[in-house]
């Protein structure tokens, strides 16, 4: 099997498959936990297996997931993995058709809502949970004056930094590592 890559999505049907909160969450579970069965995905997402199974079929039809038969212990067991390490899209790729652009905008909105939901959940965590992480969790924002080319360069640098940490071999030092969600947005705006 070849190393998964980040896929540039240019098909609005793929974005439509992604533009559902549970499907987005299932993709996150597979990113964090690796290949899973329907039962494991149901357990990780607190969903009924039948519901998970339906959404997996939608994601597989959009070529976002692939089966991992080499992990099955018998012919009845089905394992699933992400086809690509991640996906990205640019709304400009969908400017030619208003309905495609609406799908891209909806997918972007859902993505942002998912990001905000994860941060809100952290802020609602117990004092004990928050104390265990000490000074690690952070937020930051800056107002910069940039050209479009400079923003594109900054974007590439931030994405490369995130990728370096995401792709690093996890040290086998006996320390427990928990999933950590990290996101950044850089958009033109008015204060």
């Amino acid at each position: 099997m070849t190393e998964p890559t980040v896929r540039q999505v240019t098909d609005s049907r793929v974005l439509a498959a992604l533009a559902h909160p549970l499907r987005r969450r299932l993709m996150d579970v597979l990113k964090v936990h690796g290949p899973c069965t329907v039962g494991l995905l149901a357990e990780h997402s607190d969903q009924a297996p039948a519901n998970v199974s339906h959404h997996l079929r939608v994601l597989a039809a959009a070529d976002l997931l692939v089966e991992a038969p080499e992990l099955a212990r018998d012919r009845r067991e089905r394992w699933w993995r992400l086809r690509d390490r991640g996906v990205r899209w640019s709304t400009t790729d969908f400017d030619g058709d208003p309905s495609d652009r609406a799908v891209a905008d909806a997918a972007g909105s859902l993505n942002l809502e998912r990001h905000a939901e994860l941060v809100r959940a952290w802020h609602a965590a117990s004092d004990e949970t928050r104390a265990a992480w000490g000074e690690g969790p952070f937020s930051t924002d800056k107002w910069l004056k940039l050209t479009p080319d400079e923003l594109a360069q900054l974007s590439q640098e931030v994405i490369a930094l995130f990728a370096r940490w995401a792709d690093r071999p996890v040290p086998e030092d006996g320390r427990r590592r928990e999933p950590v969600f990290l996101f950044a947005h850089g958009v033109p705006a008015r204060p």
Side-chain angles (χ1 to χ4, degrees), residues 146-153:
L146 303 173
T147 67
D149 288 341
E150 289 168 335
L151 181 57
Q153 180 182 347

Side-chain angles (χ1 to χ4, degrees), residues 167-180:
D167 297 342
R168 85 189 204 293
V170 177
E172 294 186 27
D173 57 9
R175 295 168 56 195
R176 181 181 167 120
R177 287 177 170 77
E178 296 288 333
V180 171

Side-chain angles (χ1 to χ4, degrees), residues 8 16 25 29 33-34 36 41 44 49 61 83 89 93 96 108 113 124 129 134 136 140 146 161 171 173 179 183:
Q8 183 72 33
R25 187 166 176 214
V29 170
H33 296 288
C36 290
L41 285 164
H44 289 304
R83 185 195 124 181
W89 64 90
D93 288 338
E113 185 56 38
T129 297
T140 184
L146 303 173
L161 175 64
D173 57 9
F183 77 102

Side-chain angles (χ1 to χ4, degrees), residues 3 9 12 14 36 47-48 50-51 56-57 62 68 79 85 93 106-107 119-120 130 139 143 160 162 175 183 187:
E3 184 67 26
V9 175
S12 65
V14 175
C36 290
Q47 296 290 313
N51 193 29
L56 287 179
R57 284 192 299 274
W79 286 77
R85 183 178 72 197
D93 288 338
V119 173
R120 281 189 209 105
R130 292 166 54 101
S139 70
W143 284 99
F162 283 21
R175 295 168 56 195
F183 77 102
V187 295

Side-chain angles (χ1 to χ4, degrees), residues 3-179:
E3 184 67 26
T5 60
V6 175
R7 177 178 173 188
Q8 183 72 33
V9 175
T10 57
D11 184 338
S12 65
R13 293 171 297 190
V14 175
L15 284 186
L18 281 171
H20 185 280
L22 179 55
R23 289 194 286 267
R24 174 69 165 91
R25 187 166 176 214
L26 293 172
M27 299 274 294
D28 285 348
V29 170
L30 289 166
K31 280 181 189 176
V32 171
H33 296 288
C36 290
T37 62
V38 168
L40 288 170
L41 285 164
E43 184 180 315
H44 289 304
S45 63
D46 298 321
Q47 296 290 313
N51 193 29
V52 169
S53 192
H54 163 74
H55 289 288
L56 287 179
R57 284 192 299 274
V58 173
L59 291 168
D63 200 26
L64 292 163
L65 303 181
V66 294
E67 284 194 62
E70 70 279 4
L71 299 175
R73 291 175 293 209
D74 60 47
R75 292 172 44 160
R76 293 172 297 166
E77 189 176 63
R78 292 177 76 185
W79 286 77
W80 295 92
R81 72 165 41 100
L82 295 173
R83 185 195 124 181
D84 302 288
R85 183 178 72 197
V87 296
R88 70 172 60 126
W89 64 90
S90 170
T91 54
T92 60
D93 288 338
F94 301 94
D95 283 343
D97 181 295
S99 62
D100 288 350
R101 179 57 187 256
V103 170
D105 288 344
S109 181
L110 174 75
N111 208 37
L112 181 58
E113 185 56 38
R114 174 73 175 147
H115 295 173
E117 171 190 314
L118 292 167
V119 173
R120 281 189 209 105
W122 166 252
H123 288 289
S126 70
D127 290 341
E128 180 182 337
T129 297
R130 292 166 54 101
W133 284 91
E135 296 295 316
F138 70 95
S139 70
T140 184
D141 60 71
K142 303 284 183 239
W143 284 99
L144 308 173
K145 291 186 176 185
L146 303 173
T147 67
D149 288 341
E150 289 168 335
L151 181 57
Q153 180 182 347
L154 177 60
S155 167
Q156 291 171 356
E157 290 176 22
V158 169
I159 290 169
L161 175 64
F162 283 21
R164 190 178 84 225
W165 276 88
D167 297 342
R168 85 189 204 293
V170 177
E172 294 186 27
D173 57 9
R175 295 168 56 195
R176 181 181 167 120
R177 287 177 170 77
E178 296 288 333

